[in-house]
């Protein structure tokens, strides 16, 4: 079982910042190799700067579906609106935050 850090509010990786029904992913931060539900949780719990995943690393499994607990590559996550394993819907508005996690 993967540990998700931050201020989670349930077992599907929702946090105090983002807790809508579709907020069900956690991202492994390259800088610390820890999963957090969002960049705000990372900022509140870590003392280091975020290191973003570069485009040549987008085949890295760095996204966790909070529903089925399966790992997705960054490419898989960015190319879909639902989990390819359990069909749970992801928050499509998360794309506006990609720059916090990925070099886009």
């Amino acid at each position: 079982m993967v540990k998700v850090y931050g201020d989670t509010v349930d077992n599907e990786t929702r946090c105090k910042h983002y807790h809508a029904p579709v907020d069900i992913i956690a991202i492994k931060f390259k800088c610390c190799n820890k999963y957090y539900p969002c960049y705000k949780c990372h900022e509140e719990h870590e003392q280091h700067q975020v290191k973003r995943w570069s485009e040549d690393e987008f085949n890295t499994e760095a996204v966790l579906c909070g529903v089925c607990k399966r790992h997705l590559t960054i490419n898989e996550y960015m190319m879909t609106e639902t989990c390819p394993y359990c069909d749970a819907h992801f928050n499509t508005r998360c794309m506006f935050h990609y720059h916090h996690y990925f070099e886009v």
Side-chain angles (χ1 to χ4, degrees):
M1 182 69 84
V2 173
K3 179 169 175 61
V4 177
Y5 296 84
D7 296 318
T8 57
V9 297
D10 66 14
N11 64 352
E12 292 186 343
T13 74
R14 291 176 191 90
C15 68
K16 72 177 187 180
H17 307 105
Y18 299 101
H19 45 270
V22 291
D23 291 322
I24 55 166
I25 62 104
I27 297 177
K28 183 192 303 183
F29 280 76
K30 182 177 178 178
C31 45
C32 55
N33 210 36
K34 293 179 182 176
Y35 280 90
Y36 280 95
C38 74
Y39 69 95
K40 292 178 182 181
C41 284
H42 182 274
E43 287 175 356
E44 291 174 358
H45 291 271
E46 297 294 339
Q47 301 301 314
H48 58 262
Q49 293 291 322
V50 169
K51 188 172 184 184
R52 292 166 182 78
W53 295 98
S54 64
E55 190 172 350
D56 64 334
E57 297 173 304
F58 283 7
N59 285 324
T60 302
E61 289 184 339
V63 179
L64 177 72
C65 174
V67 174
C68 69
K69 311 300 188 241
R70 300 282 299 265
H71 298 268
L72 287 72
T73 67
I74 296 165
N75 275 327
E76 286 176 313
Y77 170 65
M78 293 173 90
M79 298 299 178
T80 188
E81 294 181 7
T82 61
C83 176
Y85 302 104
C86 71
D87 208 34
H89 287 268
F90 297 144
N91 188 338
T92 56
R93 292 176 46 185
C94 287
M95 72 174 60
F96 299 113
H97 297 161
Y98 283 176
H99 65 281
H100 293 288
Y101 313 105
F102 317 120
E103 291 179 2
V104 290

